[in-house]
Amino acid sequence: MVKFNFNPGDKIEITTKKEALSGLFMPSKENTFILKLDNGYNLGIDKKNIKKVKLLSKYKEKKPKSSKVKQNSKLPTITILHTGGTIASKVDYETGGVIARFSPEELLEMFPELKKIVNLKSRLVSNMWSEDLNFQHYNLLAKEVEKEVKAGADGVIITHGTDTLHYTSSALAFILENLKIPVILVGSQRSSDRGSSDAALNLICACNFIANSKFQDVAICMHSSMEDESCYILPATKSRKLHSSRRDAFKAINTDPIALVDKQGKIEYSQKVKQKKGKLNLRLFKEVKVGILKAHPNMLSKEVSFYKDYDGLILEGTGLGHFPINKTDSSTTENEKVFTELKKLSKKIPVVMTSQCIFGRINMNVYTTGRKLQEIGVLGNGLDMTTETAFIKLAWLLSNFKKQDVFELISENISNEINERIKDDFLE
Ligand code: ASP
């Protein structure tokens, strides 16, 4: 029986029934042995056909050059806080593994253009996929931003996985009261070493924006189109990932992007940049329990009652803000039960309606369904918050205010999460 206990990158020689091959051992699947040949191609060989393997030399990890890079202290100082995700990662083609590059030296080696725009500092806050982040990470990040503000940074860039980037931007916008520097979240859909990577442009645009703008808030910086030319600066509480793989996956919802920044640093604003007063104050998250329940056909009342021990609930309703609550024939008796459970819940905790439509506003005055939901205390009428922002806002309010006040505060515009006038809006 041939043994295959090698490490990725080990140089080996394989003998099959037909030939002898040498190359680098790559992370391999159960029955297939993957060998990187000297010409760079990966070859999959059925393990059954291998007669002999021999280790030629063990893999030695190459240390990045990491020589101290000279920076220009006259340029604005930016700190990059890394949280993980695709953006700062690189595939090591010798081993096939993904390696992360986080020090300023490594970043400047990867993105040398940044040296001309800013004076860079960077450190690792966490190294994880964004789908694994939670409220504690938002608190940690906010405290790290506070440290940078105190240390005199001109701006902060947070590199972040794209999946939940818009949750984190919302959370930071609520936590960081009176923030007076730009805090820009940057992600990338393709890892930094791929020809098609969006990482470099997103970082360059974020640096250009920080270096040349008086913006004082949290925002997102991602590709404005499929082209590699410019990025949008998107509002922290009114943006969303709308595509699973495109570089321009992020869009502003129910509002315009804040600005368009191009490679050369030209900025075109489409929203006014407001200046803030007062001292930076952090209002952090506590361990509150908030859920999101999406309306769907054939809903069961136990899906609603599941949330009876929660502190708050977001209902992602259909259309203008509806849930299946009407008994209209013999097959819709469960809907009545859904209504009863919603009634019980809304008496106890804030239950807030958002829309599956993503774009547009909640209007529970148009149909009787909406009116009935309002009567039992479902909140959110007239609001245009995304589900993700409503979720973050509700959890943040419950963490910082008395429960009875949260019922009122959910409808107040706290961090630009509500737009009173959407283009093409209609309110009766
Ligand atoms: N799942 C990854 C994340 O959100 C995708 C990415 O890095 O963009 O962290």
Side-chain angles (χ1 to χ4, degrees):
M1 181 70 184
V2 183
K3 288 214 173 105
F4 298 103
N5 44 355
F6 299 103
N7 292 316
D10 288 350
K11 177 118 185 159
I12 49 175
E13 190 185 73
I14 285 185
T15 314
T16 66
K17 283 176 208 148
K18 285 199 231 136
E19 58 195 335
L21 296 158
S22 70
L24 299 176
F25 172 70
M26 298 287 286
S28 299
K29 297 202 188 93
E30 225 167 85
N31 302 320
T32 315
F33 192 96
I34 298 174
L35 193 68
K36 184 179 271 300
L37 302 174
D38 294 338
N39 61 14
Y41 284 109
N42 289 348
L43 189 71
I45 308 158
D46 194 329
K47 284 187 181 169
K48 284 199 302 267
N49 298 335
I50 298 174
K51 293 175 91 184
K52 212 168 88 191
V53 275
K54 193 169 128 199
L55 178 70
L56 298 178
S57 60
K58 285 210 87 47
Y59 170 67
K60 273 194 224 92
E61 200 188 338
K62 266 197 215 139
K63 292 264 177 290
K65 281 189 226 137
S66 258
S67 54
K68 282 272 173 233
V69 186
K70 265 208 192 125
Q71 298 203 51
N72 182 350
S73 58
K74 289 199 185 95
L75 293 172
T77 301
I78 292 185
T79 301
I80 303 194
L81 302 175
H82 295 286
T83 65
T86 307
I87 175 119
S89 58
K90 230 178 152 176
V91 177
D92 180 342
Y93 284 110
E94 281 201 348
T95 66
V98 174
I99 42 174
R101 295 288 185 234
F102 293 124
S103 75
E105 288 78 19
E106 287 166 336
L107 283 172
L108 290 171
E109 219 173 86
M110 257 156 75
F111 312 111
E113 302 93 327
L114 299 182
K115 231 183 339 193
K116 292 188 214 127
I117 316 169
V118 285
N119 185 15
L120 209 68
K121 293 201 281 177
S122 80
R123 64 175 187 278
L124 188 64
V125 175
S126 63
N127 188 10
M128 54 205 292
W129 301 116
S130 74
E131 56 268 29
D132 296 323
L133 298 175
N134 59 38
F135 298 162
Q136 289 185 31
H137 300 105
Y138 303 154
N139 290 348
L140 175 69
L141 267 175
K143 287 181 194 163
E144 292 296 324
V145 170
E146 186 186 33
K147 274 189 210 159
E148 290 308 317
V149 170
K150 286 190 176 151
D154 295 297
V156 172
I157 290 179
I158 298 174
T159 63
H160 197 289
T162 52
D163 287 2
T164 67
L165 191 131
H166 48 303
Y167 285 90
T168 304
S169 61
S170 278
L172 291 177
F174 286 113
I175 297 177
L176 296 163
E177 227 172 41
N178 302 325
L179 176 69
K180 293 215 201 56
I181 60 166
V183 172
I184 310 294
L185 285 98
V186 176
S188 83
Q189 294 275 66
R190 325 266 161 84
S191 72
S192 304
D193 55 338
R194 287 176 60 181
S196 60
S197 176
D198 44 339
L201 184 72
N202 293 345
L203 275 172
I204 291 167
C205 289
C207 285
N208 269 325
F209 183 68
I210 294 179
N212 300 306
S213 151
K214 297 215 158 27
F215 184 73
Q216 302 181 325
D217 211 335
V218 183
I220 295 168
C221 179
M222 293 289 287
H223 266 59
S224 64
S225 72
M226 296 281 274
E227 306 304 319
D228 219 19
E229 291 301 322
S230 60
C231 290
Y232 277 139
I233 303 296
L234 297 161
T237 53
K238 293 198 84 61
S239 297
R240 197 179 189 278
K241 185 175 181 179
L242 287 179
H243 199 281
S244 57
S245 60
R246 274 172 69 132
R247 300 140 167 251
D248 59 345
F250 281 81
K251 300 275 181 250
I253 309 293
N254 293 331
T255 190
D256 291 327
I258 295 161
L260 183 74
V261 190
D262 74 9
K263 260 197 229 173
Q264 285 75 33
K266 197 172 109 216
I267 307 174
E268 275 171 46
Y269 291 93
S270 35
Q271 281 192 22
K272 265 208 182 136
V273 170
K274 290 183 206 136
Q275 301 302 292
K276 299 217 190 107
K277 292 201 188 92
K279 232 181 116 219
L280 178 66
N281 179 37
L282 269 54
R283 287 179 184 264
L284 300 169
F285 279 80
K286 297 204 175 108
E287 279 312 305
V288 291
K289 283 206 282 185
V290 177
I292 300 177
L293 178 60
K294 188 174 174 113
H296 60 85
N298 245 70
M299 192 137 206
L300 299 181
S301 60
K302 64 179 176 196
E303 293 179 59
V304 179
S305 58
F306 172 83
Y307 292 97
K308 59 181 184 295
D309 300 326
Y310 274 58
D311 302 303
L313 179 65
I314 301 296
L315 299 179
E316 196 183 67
T318 54
L320 290 165
H322 303 134
F323 245 67
I325 53 167
N326 306 302
K327 180 185 175 299
T328 43
D329 60 16
S330 58
S331 73
T332 44
T333 49
E334 185 68 17
N335 292 357
E336 244 176 2
K337 293 186 192 149
V338 168
F339 186 60
T340 310
E341 289 307 324
L342 276 177
K343 195 169 168 180
K344 280 197 231 159
L345 215 55
S346 328
K347 276 203 185 121
K348 264 179 60 189
I349 60 169
V351 176
V352 184
M353 184 67 74
T354 62
S355 175
Q356 289 170 12
C357 295
I358 301 176
F359 289 93
R361 191 185 296 283
I362 294 300
N363 188 344
M364 294 191 279
N365 297 331
V366 179
Y367 298 97
T368 43
T369 305
R371 289 173 192 269
K372 275 166 77 180
L373 287 166
Q374 285 189 79
E375 271 161 31
I376 61 165
V378 172
L379 307 165
N381 191 37
L383 308 183
D384 73 321
M385 293 187 286
T386 62
T387 300
E388 295 80 5
T389 294
F391 167 81
I392 290 291
K393 181 179 179 182
L394 185 55
W396 178 80
L397 287 173
L398 287 163
S399 303
N400 287 285
F401 298 90
K402 284 195 210 104
K403 193 161 116 191
Q404 60 266 39
D405 294 337
V406 174
F407 286 84
E408 305 282 324
L409 288 169
I410 195 74
S411 304
E412 258 175 47
N413 190 18
I414 296 171
S415 199
N416 301 318
E417 73 280 9
I418 299 169
N419 189 356
E420 303 296 338
R421 267 168 300 156
I422 316 174
K423 281 182 201 152
D424 313 318
D425 199 7
F426 95 97
L427 259 184
E428 291 199 280

